[in-house]
Amino acid sequence: MVDASMLETLSRSTESCRRKPNIAIDGPAGAGKTTIARLAARRLGFTYVSTGSLYRAITLGLIRRRVDIESFEQAPDQDSVLKTIDVSLSYEAGEPRIYLDGEDVTDRLSDPEVTESVSEVARIPSVRAFLLDLQRSCAQGGGVVMDGRDIGSVVLPDAEYKFFLTASVEERTRRRLLELSAKGLEVAEEEIRHIIEKRDRIDSTRSVSPLCKAEGAIEIDTSGKSIDQVLEELLSYVAEPRMS
Ligand code: DC
């Protein structure tokens, strides 16, 4: 005879068989996380979540509220200011769109004023705590490829697959220069290199959730490799669907 608890166990194990795995991809700026995470999600039929975009949306929210970012960490009303910022995520034709206070701000998130301040904002503990639930809720049902700095270590420590993408500073500078020149922007190589090194320093030395390779993460050095090579290397580790 099958009783209710056996049925529940059976349904839970069927559920875990069907549940798609989550994939965490961390690494420094310019290592290729966004490109690879987006392509991997497309190939697997998973949902892509860029957590950097969420930090960027909060940064834009603070800028629009004319908050002084340098002193925000000491402000007594941090939590109440953050509570007024409504950040959400939705998908159009499988592509993520980020909303700030009801407005689609996806195309504003790489504006220089946002990029300049986002590392400073992302190091503030109250901001990190504020975004934690939103990030976790995105991955609740499985089937998510999430990229960031602390996904494998803090946000999704139970992710089935964890990757840490790296590339030399020279390579990352070169990629950024190419990206900017494709947009018709000419910036001195030294300046780009300096910005990358500064972001690395802030991201890796902050007190809460610094950029680090999570335990058990597979490291992929993307220097000198094509996008296809990195994608295939990463996917070669992913057995999908995971039937365990
Ligand atoms: O990936 P990105 O360049 O869009 O990230 C923007 C900033 O946000 C970057 O300085 C690191 C920070 N960030 C973070 O601290 N933790 C994350 N999970 C994602 C991004």
Side-chain angles (χ1 to χ4, degrees), residues 100-142:
L100 170 65
D101 302 321
E103 177 192 338
D104 182 345
V105 292
T106 316
D107 300 332
R108 299 266 65 80
L109 299 181
S110 38
D111 285 357
E113 55 169 2
V114 175
T115 302
E116 254 166 47
S117 300
V118 65
S119 288
E120 288 297 337
V121 171
R123 59 187 279 277
I124 302 173
S126 59
V127 171
R128 304 203 72 82
F130 182 72
L131 283 179
L132 194 57
D133 284 349
L134 175 60
Q135 293 171 88
R136 287 189 174 152
S137 68
C138 291
Q140 227 168 24

Side-chain angles (χ1 to χ4, degrees), residues 3 18 20 35-36 44-45 62 96 104 119 130 133 139 144 149-150 156 175 178 191 221 226:
D3 68 14
R18 283 212 198 103
K20 292 178 180 173
T35 307
I36 297 300
L44 295 165
L62 291 173
D104 182 345
S119 288
F130 182 72
D133 284 349
V144 160
R149 305 295 189 284
D150 59 341
L156 304 178
R175 288 178 189 165
L178 283 175
E191 193 181 329
D221 185 345
S226 69

Side-chain angles (χ1 to χ4, degrees), residues 26-27 29-30 33-34 50-53 55-56 115 118-120 122-123 128 135 147-151 155 199 202-203 206 209 211:
D26 291 304
K33 297 182 306 292
T34 303
S50 152
T51 61
S53 303
Y55 284 96
R56 286 171 182 271
T115 302
V118 65
S119 288
E120 288 297 337
R123 59 187 279 277
R128 304 203 72 82
Q135 293 171 88
D147 80 344
R149 305 295 189 284
D150 59 341
I151 309 307
V155 179
R199 281 179 69 185
I202 298 177
D203 292 346
R206 64 177 174 233
S209 304
L211 166 68

Side-chain angles (χ1 to χ4, degrees), residues 3-240:
D3 68 14
S5 74
M6 281 170 75
L7 272 179
E8 199 187 318
T9 311
L10 188 67
S11 108
R12 249 188 285 125
S13 67
T14 312
E15 171 85 358
S16 78
C17 278
R18 283 212 198 103
R19 188 182 179 278
K20 292 178 180 173
N22 283 321
I23 301 177
I25 305 183
D26 291 304
K33 297 182 306 292
T34 303
T35 307
I36 297 300
R38 194 185 284 274
L39 290 172
R42 202 176 294 160
R43 275 273 288 274
L44 295 165
F46 284 19
T47 303
Y48 167 57
V49 179
S50 152
T51 61
S53 303
L54 303 177
Y55 284 96
R56 286 171 182 271
I58 295 283
T59 304
L60 185 58
L62 291 173
I63 293 170
R64 286 187 173 174
R65 283 161 176 75
R66 303 192 186 288
V67 168
D68 176 39
I69 287 167
E70 293 215 342
S71 62
F72 186 64
E73 193 174 348
Q74 274 75 48
D77 60 345
Q78 286 168 58
D79 287 336
S80 44
V81 172
L82 289 173
K83 270 187 204 144
T84 68
I85 304 180
D86 176 20
V87 172
S88 61
L89 193 69
S90 79
Y91 289 83
E92 272 172 33
E95 286 299 309
R97 308 295 304 179
I98 308 289
Y99 286 78
L100 170 65
D101 302 321
E103 177 192 338
D104 182 345
V105 292
T106 316
D107 300 332
R108 299 266 65 80
L109 299 181
S110 38
D111 285 357
E113 55 169 2
V114 175
T115 302
E116 254 166 47
S117 300
V118 65
S119 288
E120 288 297 337
V121 171
R123 59 187 279 277
I124 302 173
S126 59
V127 171
R128 304 203 72 82
F130 182 72
L131 283 179
L132 194 57
D133 284 349
L134 175 60
Q135 293 171 88
R136 287 189 174 152
S137 68
C138 291
Q140 227 168 24
V144 160
V145 182
M146 188 177 281
D147 80 344
R149 305 295 189 284
D150 59 341
I151 309 307
S153 54
V154 175
V155 179
L156 304 178
D158 297 328
E160 284 82 352
Y161 298 101
K162 297 180 187 181
F163 295 95
F164 192 72
L165 263 52
T166 61
S168 63
V169 173
E170 292 70 30
E171 173 93 13
R172 293 188 284 138
T173 304
R174 198 180 58 78
R175 288 178 189 165
R176 186 75 185 128
L177 276 172
L178 283 175
E179 225 174 84
L180 290 171
S181 86
K183 288 183 187 167
L185 299 168
E186 292 299 322
V187 186
E189 184 172 339
E190 237 348 90
E191 193 181 329
I192 300 288
R193 190 191 170 93
H194 176 74
I195 292 170
I196 288 179
E197 285 174 338
K198 183 175 168 206
R199 281 179 69 185
D200 281 357
R201 202 168 43 249
I202 298 177
D203 292 346
S204 330
T205 58
R206 64 177 174 233
S207 59
V208 182
S209 304
L211 166 68
C212 68
K213 182 177 159 189
E215 213 185 307
I218 296 163
E219 183 165 339
I220 300 179
D221 185 345
T222 69
S223 309
K225 293 180 187 159
S226 69
I227 291 171
D228 266 358
Q229 280 173 316
V230 178
L231 180 64
E232 293 309 324
E233 187 173 339
L234 183 141
L235 289 175
S236 72
Y237 293 101
V238 180
E240 203 279 317

